[in-house]
Amino acid sequence: MDASPLMWVVPISGVIAVLVAAYFAWDVLRSDTGTPEMQKVAGAIYTAAVAFIKRQYRTIALLAVGGMVVIGLVIYFFESAPGVSASELAIKTSIAFIVGAACSMASGIIGMFVAVKSNLRTAAAAQHSVADALRISLRGGAVSGILVVGLSLIGVFVMFIAYGGFQHPEQAPFTIVGFGFGASFVALFAQLGGGIYTKAADLGADLVGKVEAGIPEDDPRNAAVIADLVGDNVGDCAGRGADLFESTAAENIGAMILGVAIYAVTQNIAWIVFPLVVRGFGLIASVIGIFTVRGSDTKSPMSSLNLGYYITVALSIGGMWLVTNQMLNEKGAGYWFFFAGVVGILTSLAFVYITQYYTAGNWRPVQEIAQAAKTGPATTIISGVAVGFETTAASAITISIALFLSHYFGEQWGNATGLPHGGIYGTAVATMGMLMTAAFILAEDTFGPITDNAGGVASMARASLETRERTDRLDAVGNTTKALTKGYAVGSAALAAFLLFSAYLDKVTDLRKTAGITPADFHVVDLAKVDVFLGGFLGAMLVYLFSSLAIRAVGRAGAAIIEEVRTQFREHPGIMAGTEEPDYARVVDITTASALRNMIAPGLLAIGAPILVGVLLKAEAEAALLMVGTMAGVILATVLNNSGGAWDNAKKFIEAGELKDDKGNVLGKGTPAHAAAVVGDTVGDPFKDTAGPSLHVLIKLLATITLVLAPLFV
Amino acid sequence: MDASPLMWVVPISGVIAVLVAAYFAWDVLRSDTGTPEMQKVAGAIYTAAVAFIKRQYRTIALLAVGGMVVIGLVIYFFESAPGVSASELAIKTSIAFIVGAACSMASGIIGMFVAVKSNLRTAAAAQHSVADALRISLRGGAVSGILVVGLSLIGVFVMFIAYGGFQHPEQAPFTIVGFGFGASFVALFAQLGGGIYTKAADLGADLVGKVEAGIPEDDPRNAAVIADLVGDNVGDCAGRGADLFESTAAENIGAMILGVAIYAVTQNIAWIVFPLVVRGFGLIASVIGIFTVRGSDTKSPMSSLNLGYYITVALSIGGMWLVTNQMLNEKGAGYWFFFAGVVGILTSLAFVYITQYYTAGNWRPVQEIAQAAKTGPATTIISGVAVGFETTAASAITISIALFLSHYFGEQWGNATGLPHGGIYGTAVATMGMLMTAAFILAEDTFGPITDNAGGVASMARASLETRERTDRLDAVGNTTKALTKGYAVGSAALAAFLLFSAYLDKVTDLRKTAGITPADFHVVDLAKVDVFLGGFLGAMLVYLFSSLAIRAVGRAGAAIIEEVRTQFREHPGIMAGTEEPDYARVVDITTASALRNMIAPGLLAIGAPILVGVLLKAEAEAALLMVGTMAGVILATVLNNSGGAWDNAKKFIEAGELKDDKGNVLGKGTPAHAAAVVGDTVGDPFKDTAGPSLHVLIKLLATITLVLAPLFV
């Protein structure tokens, strides 16, 4: 081996990540914990969230152990590789799977733990200052963001070394794909379970509380209110954490597999470890970016966050320059990959702007929905669906340009150096560029539910109006950052899709060579063949069926909650009068049980369908399922996320008093227009917080499942 | 030439079609025209519908002439074929285009003319008998159904002969693709304009009438009520007629192009004219089926229609046996194609059942939506979306099995005979099998708006309660048949998709051979190439953007109508009191103008986007756009059609008093559950009657546009 000293960035940035996360956690935990009332509410949230996570992760752990055994058996009986025994291969892949699953679970648990501790402290800080509340909530979120990205980086690096990456660099990336699959596997159930929990509780709380009983949001008389607050943590924090953990892991491993092809020609290991090094720089850039965010009591919190993000982007570009210049600079043509990397970094910026345009109240789309609310819920829904459909255009065109350019730059490098595989490597560099800022984005994302919860804590603890106003200001920003993260996650999934397909094709080629199948080369996915076409068609269908199951699961779990809250109101009239406390724990229990029961069907579909199609129609049809399923999934997720976000903010637009009738009168809360907007928001909830985010995971899972189980389809 | 005598079936069935259509038209027109009040209402509908169609078709004619010129120029400068001058080729294609456009316009106009005449006579007949009313409305619909299919058959046949099909059978099918493109071009704008008109009027009439003013449906005091009734004719009759005209034409021509490949080996012209002959038999089977439908005053009208359909299916299977046995019986192995044809015929039956299951009140999906209506509009929408997403599974799996089996049977024929291209020809035979019953299905479909209008006429003419009840019974059946037709149209589009792709690949190969490009053979569409992947991704996005524009167009046109009706109510208080007649004509004018203005943007997108992608990314990426766009379009159309149909029938389920609360009380009209179901129905309207049907046309248009403009992309 003859790798660049830059490789040391990987372990160093990993250690920095752990240290900084520990510092942030310590900083948050030492902060003021507010009034006894606040502590009581936060305690209830904490207890319920931990109870859910325990039960959920116990279920997931069981499923993961089952998955590990199945994978081991499949590999043992179907896969072979030169110089490795079948049992060694099976054991290595199984271990990689379970380690990936465990890391993913760990990052979900730690992130949620700190988030649940941060909400109380944010509420307490909001009693006197927005700036302090912003600092605590962002640092609470940053623990999760930094650890998720850091753990995934360290995990892949350690697996790579443990599986002899420096002795057999051309084999190791293939054996660690199990790590990515394990992470996806856990993320799938974490996101489904958490997503169903959060929106079922939200739906139940709103429909019985706001609509039937006519009490405000987060009112302590509502038995579902604690479950609702818990939901933000288990869905948005734990779920999204697991989602981005597996994204970064899977895309990293995919990029390393592509590097093998160039390593085979250059014998330079830099091509394989480059993705790790770039991510190390990205992690450091993100940490610095987070440190630069200083809240202010006068400036908008969003502009503080944006400044931090710009700094992260700028540092990432610098890091990308350094790494491409040092590691990929074959014949002095490394700058082509620098361009490709910059394309990726700028794509993440583009998604931030596209998402804002379509889901924030300052622009045409949300205002159009708010106008439609004047003529009732039907036109509100129609208008929101039209906006959601429309958003696919900007997103798909951005992705297309990014893929095209990064591939083009990679090809130019190929022309300059005479080396092969430049084009596809260019798309991998762009993907890694896009993922450089992941830790910052994820910190912003987790900041969202923390401030949301802080508002809930303040409200239930009957804190002062000023406190509530401060948390509301932060919460509004949190809504935007949550929407941005989803746009970013879908965008990176789309950009990464192509690189993961190519990794799958490489893997199948590899398997065919070993098995002596001719022609071994498998780099064509020909849609003009009937079975391949059908694979694609079924892939496109799969994302809809999966979303249907996820959405129906929310409806079912929500119905169970509604039933329970109604019963409590009926049997204990003291609750409504405010003389009796509702039984929050029972609603939490019911939600937990229902979310866990209902996550199984969509989860098994996501895993079973690609296996079935692959076994029946074989490798090429499976590739089409993966590709068309990814296209359809990216587009449907975009529709679901953005229509949901736009409805949410159309409601907020009206609540802020910005909608006026013909005569200039404000149509605010309590008007039929507001009621119509609430319907839109409620419809959007399972779209944007259950089905959409679960689709991200499905897309990645398709990629890792095909990689790991490829021996079944050859 | 040495074709089978069966070929005479084509002109004979064409003549039969014209004669039977004329007889039905005469039979309808001689029927009783009811009371003077009815005649007045029907007269207003007639005048307004004719006015719209005139203006719409004038616009479309202008656009078509522009299209003809552009196509002529493109062909002249970019295409060349052996033994034909560039100008001859350009002129031939341009003429084919304009003839196709003219035939499509003619069938739309005739169908709508008879439909508008039939509604009055159906209402009149309903004064004494359901059976008579059923006979008149079905025969009125049959004029349209038979003529559309017959005209498309005759049109393709005449063009084939005129362009030397019997002298150069291997060239003629390629030159008549312009006919299919012309038909698609007209269908696109006919369906968009009609679809926007009908749903904007419906939305406007409902929102101001039912919701704001609290007056019943079809109340003469509502200024938008005539526009609403006109909408059924221009959207459902004229639009769907144009849609199925181009479907049958395009799929026919595509199948003939595939036949060229086998003709090249066997020198037997039967392979090229087979699709025409099979459709001739299908047309005759449909006519007989329609004749067998005898209404009864005691039996359900649906069972009479179903019996007629089963007869049509049985006769079609017989016809398929005869034709495959006579024409495709190379080495006695023709039975394999008979099997493929039966697969197609049974697929049409399967779609009838799937659609019924998902959109009729007797089964789980609609009942689930009705239950969700108990908790308000939000859960109604969520539940309907989940059902719509779920329907994609049964549809996609049916299509997959049909494609797989028909391809497999075709391959077996290939194995038995040693001849090439059997597999793909098998899918073409299945498609032609599915289309055999098109005339019957279309007659049932047009029957829907006729009975709907008859109900409106009876209601506005204040006919007796029994009359209204009779038309209501027929209308309920009409709703089901309309939904079935959409399922059938999408299903046949999906089944035909693969054959149309293959025709495109054949055409590009042909062009490359002529241009001397090597390798000329173009039968691989490799998704693993970046530009091809991007073509597919943009195709998937296109169907969403197009639907977004179509849905927004309905919203815009609807808003203009609402404004006008409100103004009339405000400025003329006599309208509400019943002492003054509203100005129906003004609303009709506004709707007409708005529908025509708003059909342009989605129409140009549908035509412009595939051209742009093809020119920029070239033939293979264009093929991916076509294929993935078709998959995504079929699936999205299924979602839109079925969720819309399910919401509609969930509302009807509640109106029929079949929803009960926990204590067994009926939750019928006037309850919050009913109001929630009305919201669902209103949301579903532009889904199922504007965007969904327009997507069918878009899918076919993608196929014909790529075929005709292929020279631009080579």
Side-chain angles (χ1 to χ4, degrees), chain B residues 339-357:
Chain B
F339 294 157
V342 171
V343 165
I345 297 171
L346 295 182
T347 304
S348 68
L349 257 186
F351 267 87
V352 166
Y353 284 113
I354 293 171
T355 314
Q356 289 207 31
Y357 175 73

mmCIF file of all heavy atoms in Angstrom, chain B residues 339-357:
data_model
loop_
_atom_site.group_PDB
_atom_site.id
_atom_site.type_symbol
_atom_site.label_atom_id
_atom_site.label_comp_id
_atom_site.label_asym_id
_atom_site.label_seq_id
_atom_site.Cartn_x
_atom_site.Cartn_y
_atom_site.Cartn_z
ATOM 1 N N PHE B 339 -53.094 -18.799 -27.596
ATOM 2 C CA PHE B 339 -52.956 -18.666 -26.143
ATOM 3 C C PHE B 339 -52.613 -17.216 -25.765
ATOM 4 O O PHE B 339 -53.180 -16.641 -24.836
ATOM 5 C CB PHE B 339 -51.853 -19.586 -25.605
ATOM 6 C CG PHE B 339 -52.150 -21.050 -25.752
ATOM 7 C CD1 PHE B 339 -51.134 -21.987 -25.766
ATOM 8 C CD2 PHE B 339 -53.464 -21.496 -25.873
ATOM 9 C CE1 PHE B 339 -51.401 -23.346 -25.899
ATOM 10 C CE2 PHE B 339 -53.748 -22.855 -26.008
ATOM 11 C CZ PHE B 339 -52.715 -23.776 -26.026
ATOM 12 N N ALA B 340 -51.660 -16.640 -26.510
ATOM 13 C CA ALA B 340 -51.264 -15.258 -26.207
ATOM 14 C C ALA B 340 -52.470 -14.326 -26.339
ATOM 15 O O ALA B 340 -52.695 -13.448 -25.494
ATOM 16 C CB ALA B 340 -50.138 -14.816 -27.140
ATOM 17 N N GLY B 341 -53.269 -14.541 -27.382
ATOM 18 C CA GLY B 341 -54.451 -13.700 -27.589
ATOM 19 C C GLY B 341 -55.449 -13.858 -26.458
ATOM 20 O O GLY B 341 -56.026 -12.871 -25.971
ATOM 21 N N VAL B 342 -55.639 -15.099 -26.015
ATOM 22 C CA VAL B 342 -56.578 -15.330 -24.912
ATOM 23 C C VAL B 342 -56.081 -14.628 -23.648
ATOM 24 O O VAL B 342 -56.872 -14.064 -22.884
ATOM 25 C CB VAL B 342 -56.764 -16.845 -24.682
ATOM 26 C CG1 VAL B 342 -57.546 -17.101 -23.402
ATOM 27 C CG2 VAL B 342 -57.482 -17.463 -25.869
ATOM 28 N N VAL B 343 -54.762 -14.653 -23.444
ATOM 29 C CA VAL B 343 -54.205 -13.926 -22.289
ATOM 30 C C VAL B 343 -54.653 -12.464 -22.338
ATOM 31 O O VAL B 343 -55.101 -11.895 -21.341
ATOM 32 C CB VAL B 343 -52.660 -14.013 -22.279
ATOM 33 C CG1 VAL B 343 -52.063 -12.988 -21.323
ATOM 34 C CG2 VAL B 343 -52.212 -15.411 -21.893
ATOM 35 N N GLY B 344 -54.566 -11.866 -23.531
ATOM 36 C CA GLY B 344 -54.971 -10.467 -23.671
ATOM 37 C C GLY B 344 -56.447 -10.270 -23.378
ATOM 38 O O GLY B 344 -56.846 -9.341 -22.662
ATOM 39 N N ILE B 345 -57.278 -11.149 -23.924
ATOM 40 C CA ILE B 345 -58.728 -11.010 -23.719
ATOM 41 C C ILE B 345 -59.063 -11.160 -22.241
ATOM 42 O O ILE B 345 -59.855 -10.399 -21.682
ATOM 43 C CB ILE B 345 -59.482 -12.054 -24.573
ATOM 44 C CG1 ILE B 345 -59.225 -11.795 -26.064
ATOM 45 C CG2 ILE B 345 -60.977 -11.998 -24.290
ATOM 46 C CD1 ILE B 345 -59.746 -12.873 -26.993
ATOM 47 N N LEU B 346 -58.411 -12.137 -21.577
ATOM 48 C CA LEU B 346 -58.679 -12.337 -20.153
ATOM 49 C C LEU B 346 -58.147 -11.177 -19.310
ATOM 50 O O LEU B 346 -58.702 -10.865 -18.257
ATOM 51 C CB LEU B 346 -58.064 -13.660 -19.675
ATOM 52 C CG LEU B 346 -58.687 -14.912 -20.307
ATOM 53 C CD1 LEU B 346 -58.050 -16.171 -19.742
ATOM 54 C CD2 LEU B 346 -60.200 -14.946 -20.092
ATOM 55 N N THR B 347 -57.076 -10.535 -19.794
ATOM 56 C CA THR B 347 -56.567 -9.377 -19.061
ATOM 57 C C THR B 347 -57.628 -8.283 -18.998
ATOM 58 O O THR B 347 -57.787 -7.610 -17.977
ATOM 59 C CB THR B 347 -55.293 -8.845 -19.735
ATOM 60 O OG1 THR B 347 -54.347 -9.905 -19.814
ATOM 61 C CG2 THR B 347 -54.697 -7.700 -18.951
ATOM 62 N N SER B 348 -58.366 -8.112 -20.090
ATOM 63 C CA SER B 348 -59.411 -7.083 -20.060
ATOM 64 C C SER B 348 -60.461 -7.446 -19.014
ATOM 65 O O SER B 348 -60.937 -6.580 -18.279
ATOM 66 C CB SER B 348 -60.028 -6.890 -21.447
ATOM 67 O OG SER B 348 -60.754 -8.025 -21.825
ATOM 68 N N LEU B 349 -60.801 -8.727 -18.919
ATOM 69 C CA LEU B 349 -61.744 -9.156 -17.879
ATOM 70 C C LEU B 349 -61.166 -8.898 -16.489
ATOM 71 O O LEU B 349 -61.862 -8.411 -15.594
ATOM 72 C CB LEU B 349 -62.018 -10.654 -18.008
ATOM 73 C CG LEU B 349 -63.328 -11.094 -18.640
ATOM 74 C CD1 LEU B 349 -63.462 -12.599 -18.543
ATOM 75 C CD2 LEU B 349 -64.517 -10.434 -17.958
ATOM 76 N N ALA B 350 -59.873 -9.212 -16.315
ATOM 77 C CA ALA B 350 -59.250 -9.021 -15.005
ATOM 78 C C ALA B 350 -59.328 -7.560 -14.581
ATOM 79 O O ALA B 350 -59.643 -7.248 -13.431
ATOM 80 C CB ALA B 350 -57.789 -9.485 -15.040
ATOM 81 N N PHE B 351 -59.089 -6.667 -15.533
ATOM 82 C CA PHE B 351 -59.143 -5.252 -15.171
ATOM 83 C C PHE B 351 -60.550 -4.824 -14.778
ATOM 84 O O PHE B 351 -60.736 -3.981 -13.906
ATOM 85 C CB PHE B 351 -58.579 -4.380 -16.291
ATOM 86 C CG PHE B 351 -57.135 -4.109 -16.089
ATOM 87 C CD1 PHE B 351 -56.167 -4.970 -16.558
ATOM 88 C CD2 PHE B 351 -56.737 -3.017 -15.341
ATOM 89 C CE1 PHE B 351 -54.832 -4.751 -16.320
ATOM 90 C CE2 PHE B 351 -55.402 -2.773 -15.090
ATOM 91 C CZ PHE B 351 -54.453 -3.649 -15.589
ATOM 92 N N VAL B 352 -61.540 -5.424 -15.419
ATOM 93 C CA VAL B 352 -62.919 -5.118 -15.047
ATOM 94 C C VAL B 352 -63.158 -5.491 -13.590
ATOM 95 O O VAL B 352 -63.737 -4.719 -12.820
ATOM 96 C CB VAL B 352 -63.891 -5.849 -15.995
ATOM 97 C CG1 VAL B 352 -65.306 -5.826 -15.441
ATOM 98 C CG2 VAL B 352 -63.852 -5.214 -17.374
ATOM 99 N N TYR B 353 -62.653 -6.662 -13.189
ATOM 100 C CA TYR B 353 -62.871 -7.080 -11.808
ATOM 101 C C TYR B 353 -62.049 -6.271 -10.814
ATOM 102 O O TYR B 353 -62.531 -5.907 -9.743
ATOM 103 C CB TYR B 353 -62.588 -8.574 -11.655
ATOM 104 C CG TYR B 353 -63.704 -9.402 -12.209
ATOM 105 C CD1 TYR B 353 -63.535 -10.188 -13.329
ATOM 106 C CD2 TYR B 353 -64.970 -9.342 -11.623
ATOM 107 C CE1 TYR B 353 -64.583 -10.931 -13.856
ATOM 108 C CE2 TYR B 353 -66.020 -10.075 -12.144
ATOM 109 C CZ TYR B 353 -65.826 -10.867 -13.252
ATOM 110 O OH TYR B 353 -66.858 -11.573 -13.763
ATOM 111 N N ILE B 354 -60.781 -6.004 -11.149
ATOM 112 C CA ILE B 354 -59.936 -5.230 -10.228
ATOM 113 C C ILE B 354 -60.556 -3.862 -9.984
ATOM 114 O O ILE B 354 -60.664 -3.392 -8.845
ATOM 115 C CB ILE B 354 -58.512 -5.077 -10.810
ATOM 116 C CG1 ILE B 354 -57.806 -6.422 -10.852
ATOM 117 C CG2 ILE B 354 -57.698 -4.083 -9.991
ATOM 118 C CD1 ILE B 354 -56.491 -6.391 -11.606
ATOM 119 N N THR B 355 -60.976 -3.210 -11.068
ATOM 120 C CA THR B 355 -61.561 -1.888 -10.910
ATOM 121 C C THR B 355 -62.802 -1.944 -10.040
ATOM 122 O O THR B 355 -63.011 -1.089 -9.179
ATOM 123 C CB THR B 355 -61.896 -1.300 -12.284
ATOM 124 O OG1 THR B 355 -60.801 -1.498 -13.155
ATOM 125 C CG2 THR B 355 -62.207 0.167 -12.188
ATOM 126 N N GLN B 356 -63.633 -2.961 -10.276
ATOM 127 C CA GLN B 356 -64.844 -3.063 -9.451
ATOM 128 C C GLN B 356 -64.491 -3.242 -7.985
ATOM 129 O O GLN B 356 -65.089 -2.613 -7.118
ATOM 130 C CB GLN B 356 -65.691 -4.247 -9.911
ATOM 131 C CG GLN B 356 -66.343 -4.009 -11.253
ATOM 132 C CD GLN B 356 -67.629 -4.808 -11.404
ATOM 133 O OE1 GLN B 356 -68.323 -5.065 -10.444
ATOM 134 N NE2 GLN B 356 -67.939 -5.170 -12.634
ATOM 135 N N TYR B 357 -63.517 -4.121 -7.710
ATOM 136 C CA TYR B 357 -63.160 -4.382 -6.320
ATOM 137 C C TYR B 357 -62.731 -3.098 -5.617
ATOM 138 O O TYR B 357 -63.123 -2.830 -4.482
ATOM 139 C CB TYR B 357 -62.031 -5.412 -6.238
ATOM 140 C CG TYR B 357 -61.527 -5.638 -4.835
ATOM 141 C CD1 TYR B 357 -62.279 -6.341 -3.904
ATOM 142 C CD2 TYR B 357 -60.311 -5.094 -4.422
ATOM 143 C CE1 TYR B 357 -61.838 -6.526 -2.612
ATOM 144 C CE2 TYR B 357 -59.858 -5.270 -3.118
ATOM 145 C CZ TYR B 357 -60.635 -5.991 -2.217
ATOM 146 O OH TYR B 357 -60.192 -6.158 -0.930
#
